[in-house]
């Protein structure tokens, strides 16, 4: 687990001083050996031309020097670890992640951890599928880097962990299979690759009256279902989950039918983070989980570039411990600082979006019951990473 945004020291007077104690959990700003800024998806420095790669075990984009064959070493380390490029580097995936080759436990695959999660990729003989696959993989790498930074288990389903691992099937509708549903089943996440097409995704978003629909959002939602199975279902978290979110044993198919035929309850904004979260306790968890990952990654990015909530001339009515699930768990003081920083930064980012004529950066409000659920998710994650 990387040094942590949510494992920083507590600040007992943060509501009054707004002094920030949070640090990025997953860094999003990096430096090349030449000193110029480089970014999470970069594979080459545009300033000096240095070769770059992302090292997932330390969460850093590092400059590389060539060695024998197709191996590389960190630019500033003449001895030590050697790496290969992920086998998907030269594909339309464009993966910039690295694979260690001389560790005590060398990998038995040419693919990085993120790419090992793939079970089915689109038919790349169709040109448009290659473009969509590249967008899908970029979003998936962002997701996986956050999961690793949080200290969550990320293990491929195939070939060694069929019961508890993760697998992705990226499918395209065909004449034989005209309908592909994005969803999760026992660790296998299916994604309709048309969700990577901006025009088609926006058409669906508008038809479903959603304020927000993104490729990365799909990944975060569906992986939430996986972690419910992995961290909550057979654990001591199950009963408090039911108290907070509801009983997941309620008829899921009937709940979906009710939602799509009649819409959400009129008062959903007072209880849920999104209207879809009101459908069923499973969907409430997945929507809340996705929001937690939105918050983590956005604040990680802001803090990586030196953007701090306490620097902003924007006052809010801060959430206090009364809004939490339990004030005695989950590093509650630091969670409150994280939450209130999120409110300040997203309020300003929304105004910046409006200044460019773009949709609101964060088109949601957080009612107190949703805050309690976010704190519960946070507590489950903290427990899983210890």
């Amino acid at each position: 687990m990387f040094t942590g945004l949510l494992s920083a020291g507590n600040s007992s007077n943060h509501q009054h001083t707004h002094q920030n104690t949070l640090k990025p959990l997953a860094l999003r700003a990096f430096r090349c050996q030449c000193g110029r800024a480089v970014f999470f998806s970069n594979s080459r420095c545009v300033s000096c031309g240095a070769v770059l790669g992302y090292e997932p075990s330390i969460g850093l984009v590092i400059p590389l020097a060539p060695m024998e064959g197709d191996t590389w070493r960190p630019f500033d380390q003449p001895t030590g670890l050697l790496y290969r490029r992920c086998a998907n580097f030269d594909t339309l995936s464009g993966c910039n992640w690295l694979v260690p080759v001389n560790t005590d436990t060398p990998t038995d695959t040419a693919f990085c951890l993120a790419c090992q999660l793939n079970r089915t990729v689109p038919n790349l003989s169709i040109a448009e599928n290659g473009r969509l696959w590249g967008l899908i993989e970029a979003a998936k790498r962002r997701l996986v880097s956050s999961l690793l930074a949080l200290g969550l288990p990320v293990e491929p389903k195939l070939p060694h962990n069929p019961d508890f691992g993760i697998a992705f099937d990226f499918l395209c509708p065909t004449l034989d299979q005209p309908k592909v549903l994005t969803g999760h089943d026992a660790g296998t996440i299916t994604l309709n690759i048309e969700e990577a097409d901006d025009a088609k995704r926006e058409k669906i978003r508008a038809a479903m009256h959603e304020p927000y629909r993104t490729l990365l959002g799909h990944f975060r939602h569906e992986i939430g279902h996986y972690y419910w199975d992995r961290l909550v279902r057979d654990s001591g978290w199950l009963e408090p989950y039911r108290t907070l979110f509801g009983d997941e044993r309620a008829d899921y198919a009937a709940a979906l039918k009710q939602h799509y035929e009649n819409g959400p309850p009129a008062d959903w904004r007072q209880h849920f983070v999104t209207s879809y979260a009101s459908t069923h306790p499973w969907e409430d968890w997945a929507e809340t989980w996705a929001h937690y990952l939105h918050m983590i990654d956005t604040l990680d990015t802001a803090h990586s570039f030196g953007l701090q909530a306490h620097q902003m001339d924007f006052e809010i009515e801060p959430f206090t411990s009364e809004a939490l699930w339990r004030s005695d768990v989950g590093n509650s003081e630091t969670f409150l600082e994280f939450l209130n920083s999120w409110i300040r930064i997203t309020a300003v980012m929304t105004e910046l979006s409006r200044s460019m004529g773009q949709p609101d950066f964060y088109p949601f409000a957080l009612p107190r019951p949703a805050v309690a659920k976010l704190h519960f998710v946070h507590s489950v994650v903290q427990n899983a990473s210890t």
Side-chain angles (χ1 to χ4, degrees):
M1 184 177 180
F2 313 155
T3 57
L5 184 153
L6 290 184
S7 58
N10 288 349
S11 173
S12 60
N13 60 348
H14 67 274
Q15 294 174 21
H16 304 291
T17 66
H18 295 173
Q19 293 301 304
N20 190 76
T21 67
L22 303 177
K23 294 180 174 61
L25 188 64
L27 286 175
R28 297 306 184 193
F30 310 94
R31 294 284 175 183
C32 178
Q33 52 85 22
C34 70
R36 295 295 294 270
V38 294
F39 305 97
F40 176 68
S41 61
N42 287 162
S43 57
R44 187 173 292 274
C45 175
V46 297
S47 178
C48 72
V51 172
L52 306 170
Y54 183 74
E55 217 290 27
S57 71
I58 58 174
L60 295 176
V61 172
I62 58 175
L64 300 167
M67 298 294 284
E68 293 182 1
D70 60 351
T71 63
W72 303 82
R73 64 169 173 83
F75 186 87
D76 59 352
Q77 297 177 21
T79 61
L81 283 178
L82 294 178
Y83 299 95
R84 286 192 176 92
R85 290 282 198 189
C86 175
N88 272 332
F89 174 72
D90 288 321
T91 70
L92 292 169
S93 165
C95 180
N96 69 332
W97 285 31
L98 299 173
V99 181
V101 296
N102 64 336
T103 64
D104 292 336
T105 55
T107 180
D108 59 356
T109 176
F111 294 98
C112 72
L113 175 58
C115 289
Q116 289 177 55
L117 303 178
N118 290 350
R119 189 173 72 172
T120 307
V121 301
N123 179 359
L124 299 180
S125 67
I126 301 172
E128 177 66 2
N129 286 1
R131 182 184 72 85
L132 299 180
W133 185 47
L135 296 170
I136 288 166
E137 291 293 337
K140 190 194 73 184
R141 289 192 291 271
R142 188 93 184 191
L143 167 77
V144 174
S145 68
S146 289
L147 300 177
L148 293 173
L150 286 166
L152 292 167
V154 180
E155 301 159 315
K157 180 179 282 289
L158 301 176
H160 303 305
N161 197 353
D163 294 329
F164 299 106
I166 302 167
F168 288 100
D169 289 339
F170 302 134
L171 304 181
C172 178
T174 64
L175 292 177
D176 295 333
Q177 189 177 4
K179 191 172 186 179
V180 174
L181 295 179
T182 295
H184 166 266
D185 181 24
T188 298
I189 293 171
T190 301
L191 180 77
N192 182 340
I193 68 168
E194 290 185 340
E195 289 289 347
D197 185 302
D198 291 343
K200 291 179 179 178
R201 189 181 62 253
E202 174 61 18
K203 183 177 180 180
I204 296 170
R205 187 201 66 78
M208 298 184 71
H209 306 289
E210 296 172 339
Y212 172 93
R213 188 183 183 96
T214 68
L215 190 55
L216 185 53
H218 281 306
F219 275 115
R220 288 171 173 164
H221 175 99
E222 299 304 338
I223 205 70
H225 287 300
Y226 164 77
Y227 282 111
W228 188 89
D229 286 351
R230 184 79 186 261
L231 304 178
V232 176
R233 183 184 60 194
D234 300 317
S235 77
W237 295 103
L238 182 58
E239 288 309 315
Y241 160 83
R242 287 174 175 166
T243 300
L244 197 57
F245 290 82
D247 193 332
E248 83 289 350
R249 293 169 293 188
D251 190 318
Y252 182 68
L256 286 179
K257 184 173 185 291
Q258 162 70 22
H259 176 80
Y260 285 118
E261 290 183 356
N262 302 310
D267 65 346
W268 70 263
R269 290 177 179 83
Q270 300 174 33
H271 305 280
F272 302 96
V273 70
T274 66
S275 61
Y276 189 61
S278 68
T279 304
H280 186 275
W282 275 336
E283 299 304 341
D284 194 6
W285 164 270
E287 288 287 88
T288 305
W289 177 280
H291 263 69
Y292 182 71
L293 294 187
H294 293 335
M295 296 163 71
I296 286 284
D297 199 14
T298 300
L299 285 183
D300 275 350
T301 303
H303 294 151
S304 293
F305 288 94
L307 181 62
Q308 302 289 347
H310 73 273
Q311 297 171 340
M312 297 181 173
D313 186 16
F314 189 93
E315 291 300 320
I316 64 167
E317 185 67 31
F319 285 105
T320 64
S321 59
E322 286 76 17
L324 300 179
W325 166 55
R326 281 177 48 183
S327 61
D328 60 334
V329 299
N331 203 351
S332 59
E333 284 293 308
T334 304
F335 177 81
L336 281 173
E337 184 179 358
F338 159 73
L339 175 67
N340 290 319
S341 293
W342 167 257
I343 301 297
R344 290 189 185 91
I345 285 179
T346 54
V348 174
M349 292 298 294
T350 292
E351 288 303 312
L352 289 173
S353 295
R354 291 171 180 172
S355 73
M356 288 294 293
Q358 295 294 316
D360 285 0
F361 175 80
Y362 184 65
F364 304 98
L366 291 176
R368 284 183 57 163
V371 168
K373 294 170 189 175
L374 283 165
H375 184 230
F376 181 85
V377 169
H378 167 70
S379 301
V380 172
V381 170
Q382 291 275 292
N383 182 74
S385 66
T386 55

